[in-house]
Amino acid sequence: MLFRVILLTLCILVSCITGQTTTIPQRVQVRVGLDTVLQCSTKNTGDSVNWLGPNGVVLFFGSRRLISDDRFTLNQKYRNSWDLQITNVKAVDAGLYKCVPKQREPASDDVAKVFNLEVYVPPRIIPSKSSKDQFVQEGDNTTLICFASGFPHPNIAWHKVSGKEEKLLYEIYGQHQGQFVFSEITRDESGVYKCTAYNGEGMNDTRTMLVDVQYAPTISTNVQVKGLDVQLECMVEWNPQGENIWTKDGEVIVQNWKYEPKIINDTSSQTTMILFINQIEGPTDFGQYSCIARNKYGNAIGNITMPVSTESSPGKGKNSAKENGVCKSLTLVLMTIFLSVYEF
Ligand SMILES: *[C@@H]1O[C@H](CO)[C@@H](O)[C@H](O)[C@H]1NC(C)=O
Ligand SMILES: *[C@@H]1O[C@H](CO)[C@@H](O)[C@H](O)[C@H]1NC(C)=O
Ligand SMILES: *[C@@H]1O[C@H](CO)[C@@H](O)[C@H](O)[C@H]1NC(C)=O
Ligand SMILES: *[C@@H]1O[C@H](CO)[C@@H](O)[C@H](O)[C@H]1NC(C)=O
């Protein structure tokens, strides 16, 4: 009982100072950087008011300034007007303002006036709270985040950018944070992604980020015959690029008059390894040639057996069409060899 009385007394005291009433706040909207005036006047000339800002901070006690920020001023056009003027409004100024009458005569029925100051702020993407470029392994789950300030709460749109083309992927409305989720990302999802924050105020803000999906190498093989010369080719798909070597029967091939290894970067994730063999001469040139490519995610081996047999060996099924070509070419090579031997 006593507790209730104390509570009630406290409430009355508090409401005397802060003017806590059931008044519905009056909406005041202003663009950041502009000025605004919250109008308040007393019924009785000679009464004064207290002005309270967001979080109950007392700004003015009658004509006495309690806030050091000189963007806040009292604007007293008439003897009973106590307008609060805010110049160069900032985002942090948003919130509830109260004009609480200080009555000399208790009978007076002046009530507090409440304002809800809404500060309109163009969107701005906060880099420290947003994703940077992502380097991820294929199959990973990864999420891109864009965090934007602004009022009203911005909408955030996600686009994939390829050259001048932008494809809308996803959009979220009225949120500070927008995210784009990749579930078990694939190499095709590599690319440049862009988030746009907009809320109808000022300029849109955007941020782009690279998603680089990395994976272990894979190899497909091919053989080209040019007379007595043979060109072995391994098409490597990998990201990032790494090391590559050629071996023959397990021995690393070094460049000499017979072997010329060469690398062509087709794209940043496609490399063609070429081994040029000068003048195939017979059994010493036969054997298993392997191209080996390795990056931090693993390695791949492409085998080419010389001369190529018609039976398919494990791992070659994928390239059976090419193998047939190889087989024909090699028959050609061998015929040429025998022909040249015959000429001696
Ligand atoms: C990725 O998320 C899926 C569900 O979306 C889950 O089944 C899978 O285990 C996750 N993979 C990894 C590598 O975390
Ligand atoms: C802001 O972005 C939205 C969504 O992408 C777009 O509809 C609007 O035209 C853009 N506004 C400006 C000023 O660029
Ligand atoms: C191919 O790319 C790799 C890695 O980017 C680089 O080290 C190498 O020099 C490039 N080779 C050629 C022939 O451009
Ligand atoms: C290539 O040859 C090596 C060594 O003989 C073997 O371990 C590997 O499995 C072969 N790879 C393919 C794809 O045939």
Side-chain angles (χ1 to χ4, degrees):
M1 186 62 193
L2 182 66
F3 180 70
R4 276 197 184 175
V5 170
I6 291 171
L7 203 66
L8 198 66
T9 321
L10 257 176
C11 283
I12 291 166
L13 272 174
V14 166
S15 72
C16 277
I17 301 165
T18 64
Q20 246 147 37
T21 56
T22 51
T23 325
I24 295 165
Q26 180 187 333
R27 273 176 88 183
V28 178
Q29 300 169 325
V30 62
R31 167 77 76 82
V32 71
L34 300 184
D35 303 344
T36 191
V37 174
L38 308 182
Q39 290 178 329
C40 188
S41 52
T42 54
K43 273 188 182 159
N44 304 310
T45 311
D47 283 355
S48 68
V49 307
N50 295 337
W51 269 105
L52 292 102
N55 304 318
V57 173
V58 182
L59 307 174
F60 287 93
F61 199 74
S63 334
R64 214 172 118 214
R65 159 187 292 279
L66 292 184
I67 181 165
S68 56
D69 191 338
D70 59 11
R71 294 181 302 116
F72 292 82
T73 48
L74 267 189
N75 199 339
Q76 292 186 279
K77 251 189 290 179
Y78 309 106
R79 276 203 63 203
N80 65 338
S81 65
W82 295 85
D83 299 349
L84 178 69
Q85 176 165 337
I86 313 172
T87 55
N88 185 17
V89 169
K90 295 182 176 171
V92 291
D93 298 338
L96 292 181
Y97 287 77
K98 285 173 198 154
C99 171
V100 188
K102 285 203 294 186
Q103 287 141 210
R104 287 185 306 181
E105 289 170 33
S108 159
D109 56 353
D110 250 1
V111 292
K113 222 173 152 184
V114 185
F115 301 86
N116 186 10
L117 181 67
E118 294 178 350
V119 181
Y120 283 73
V121 185
R124 200 170 70 82
I125 294 169
I126 316 286
S128 62
K129 290 183 177 175
S130 303
S131 299
K132 298 173 180 53
D133 290 348
Q134 305 277 305
F135 298 89
V136 295
Q137 189 176 357
E138 192 166 44
D140 280 354
N141 294 335
T142 187
T143 301
L144 298 179
I145 294 174
C146 256
F147 189 95
S149 62
F151 188 85
H153 291 351
N155 304 325
I156 297 178
W158 287 95
H159 289 86
K160 185 168 185 186
V161 183
S162 350
K164 279 186 181 167
E165 228 171 89
E166 291 186 1
K167 187 169 156 253
L168 178 66
L169 302 169
Y170 176 69
E171 203 161 1
I172 189 164
Y173 303 102
Q175 303 278 322
H176 283 301
Q177 181 164 312
Q179 52 193 38
F180 188 73
V181 178
F182 296 96
S183 175
E184 293 172 7
I185 196 163
T186 64
R187 60 191 70 183
D188 301 334
E189 289 174 301
S190 280
V192 177
Y193 289 81
K194 182 176 101 173
C195 64
T196 304
Y198 65 101
N199 65 358
E201 295 294 314
M203 303 271 284
N204 290 352
D205 198 7
T206 63
R207 179 178 173 87
T208 54
M209 47 202 90
L210 174 75
V211 176
D212 188 34
V213 181
Q214 305 190 327
Y215 45 88
T218 53
I219 288 181
S220 60
T221 58
N222 189 25
V223 179
Q224 288 192 38
V225 179
K226 294 170 183 164
L228 287 182
D229 303 330
V230 175
Q231 181 166 310
L232 310 184
E233 296 175 354
C234 288
M235 280 68 73
V236 187
E237 191 169 336
W238 53 353
N239 186 27
Q241 299 192 349
E243 306 159 307
N244 62 83
I245 52 165
W246 281 98
T247 62
K248 176 175 184 287
D249 300 324
E251 298 286 318
V252 176
I253 292 176
V254 289
Q255 178 158 2
N256 55 29
W257 70 271
K258 180 163 275 295
Y259 299 119
E260 274 177 59
K262 197 174 145 197
I263 292 291
I264 298 171
N265 289 335
D266 301 310
T267 67
S268 62
S269 60
Q270 271 168 341
T271 302
T272 306
M273 294 173 62
I274 295 171
L275 182 66
F276 188 76
I277 308 175
N278 261 312
Q279 308 217 342
I280 287 262
E281 280 168 319
T284 52
D285 290 325
F286 295 161
Q288 183 179 259
Y289 292 82
S290 302
C291 52
I292 304 172
R294 175 173 37 224
N295 68 11
K296 64 177 169 177
Y297 299 107
N299 57 61
I301 303 177
N303 295 329
I304 301 170
T305 307
M306 299 280 270
V308 177
S309 68
T310 39
E311 308 156 38
S312 61
S313 47
K316 285 182 179 170
K318 213 169 70 175
N319 301 319
S320 52
K322 281 175 187 161
E323 297 298 343
N324 282 339
V326 171
C327 196
K328 277 182 210 147
S329 312
L330 271 157
T331 314
L332 258 174
V333 173
L334 294 182
M335 275 171 65
T336 324
I337 292 167
F338 288 132
L339 282 176
S340 39
V341 167
Y342 182 74
E343 276 174 15
F344 280 108

